Amino acid sequence: MRTLVLNPDASGIGQAAECICQDGLVAFPTETVYGLGANALSASAVARVFEIKGRPRFDPTIVHVAHPETVNTLWKSIPPLAEKLLDLFWPGPLTLVLPKHKTVPDIVTAGLPTVAVRMPSHPVALRLIEASGRPIAAPSANKFGRSSPTHHDHVLSDLDGQVDVILAAGPSAVGIESTVLSLAEDPPRLLRPGGTALEVLREIVPDLRVDSPVGPSSSPGTLPRHYLPRTPLFLLEEETPSGRGAYIDRRRCGMLAFARQWQAFGRVEVLSETGDLRQAAARFFASLRVLDAAELSAIVAEPVPEEGLGLAIADRLRRASSGRARLAGDRIWMIR
Ligand code: TXA
Ligand code: MG
């Protein structure tokens, strides 16, 4: 199968929308990461998304809308808190989970009685959904378990020949997936930290719960191991981690640095020279891909401050890691 790579101009968006209407698959840009989109109201189109991604059927997808009013056709009812959050945060990187309307196919929600919905702010995403005249179900446009794509080149390298259309719109500005918040529970629960900072959400939802382990029961897709690079990644720690480990030469390692310039590594990617967490989020997945492609024996990641978007970055780092590490002169001590 040939994948059409289209410019996101009026004609490209028109063709992509046509493809969605015929139950085809379109990879499209959002402000967070690229999505692998299908007509959310067509079970067979969404089934192809699961197939191509290699995604287990227990992991539900997010439905994308171009207008807040569309939630009336997706959710059973809209509680006042949902209204308020939509008003304040849409369009943008916030996904809300509420009991679903029966028109939403079960495959979209992995059989759950709830559906996750968000209105992205990327103009191309909005135009595509609008032109399709349907809500679009879309997980991130990568193979299951791998890094999310923040550039159309990433989508091409993962899904060329498998997706019908790619709308090529360059880098995603936020760079980390949306925050997922469940309003189906009382008090509401954070299911995944993401592009909308927790501190900001707490101002509106003071009783927001983040305590419980984010696991299969609450949000099936938030597995402890995810985003796995091919090169094993280790989280750098101050203290010597305990357990069985091995030394490795620093030059054979890549360094995913937050703000510092590190010496004597095989390759260094700095997320933000000025220590800006937004910039770090925007560069995160692309930097991870660069290091993963550099034929190194391991990647070492410097911790990021767990505030603002740093919480989401730290969460992705934990899921991407195979173990912990500590500096030991020109070598690194690594523990799986
Ligand atoms: O920024 C984003 O959210 C990107 C762009 C493309 O919109 N999408 C994305 O989708 O990251 P995905 O499929 O990679 O992650 C969706 C997350 C998963 O953790 C899934 O378990 C959770 O949302 N989710 C979806 N529907 C849910 C539901 N009904 N209840 C609980 N969690 C749900
Ligand atoms: Mg994903």
Side-chain angles (χ1 to χ4, degrees), residues 249-253 262-268 329-330:
D249 189 322
R250 222 162 139 138
R251 300 239 165 237
R252 287 170 50 210
C253 292
W262 295 79
Q263 303 300 320
F265 277 89
R267 172 144 196 166
V268 179
D330 55 1

Side-chain angles (χ1 to χ4, degrees), residues 152-327:
H152 59 261
D153 286 341
H154 303 161
V155 181
L156 253 180
S157 79
D158 281 13
L159 300 176
D160 191 17
Q162 293 181 278
V163 52
D164 300 301
V165 173
I166 297 176
L167 284 172
S172 296
V174 176
I176 207 126
E177 303 92 333
S178 62
T179 300
V180 182
L181 180 62
S182 173
L183 300 180
E185 297 177 53
D186 191 18
R189 189 188 295 274
L190 180 76
L191 299 180
R192 177 178 74 183
T196 299
L198 183 59
E199 296 88 335
V200 184
L201 278 178
R202 274 226 170 92
E203 284 174 25
I204 316 300
V205 193
D207 57 347
L208 180 62
R209 294 182 66 170
V210 296
D211 53 307
S212 123
V214 182
S217 56
S218 54
S219 191
T222 44
L223 300 171
R225 298 287 294 276
H226 209 78
Y227 309 104
L228 285 184
R230 288 178 173 82
T231 317
L233 181 139
F234 295 83
L235 296 179
L236 198 61
E237 292 189 352
E238 293 273 317
E239 301 283 303
T240 306
S242 57
R244 271 156 41 98
Y247 282 105
I248 187 166
D249 189 322
R250 222 162 139 138
R251 300 239 165 237
R252 287 170 50 210
C253 292
M255 166 52 92
L256 184 60
F258 172 49
R260 268 176 69 185
Q261 279 298 344
W262 295 79
Q263 303 300 320
F265 277 89
R267 172 144 196 166
V268 179
E269 287 289 308
V270 180
L271 292 177
S272 171
E273 293 78 5
T274 56
D276 175 31
L277 287 166
R278 283 183 179 277
Q279 184 175 46
R283 291 184 184 170
F284 177 71
F285 281 120
S287 302
L288 192 55
R289 275 180 191 254
V290 167
L291 291 173
D292 201 14
E295 309 213 342
L296 299 153
S297 302
I299 301 168
V300 179
E302 183 185 7
V304 298
E306 296 200 21
E307 62 195 37
L309 295 200
L311 191 67
I313 302 173
D315 168 76
R316 307 309 186 264
L317 274 176
R318 270 193 291 275
R319 290 180 213 280
S321 69
S322 307
R324 298 162 307 138
R326 184 173 185 272
L327 300 175

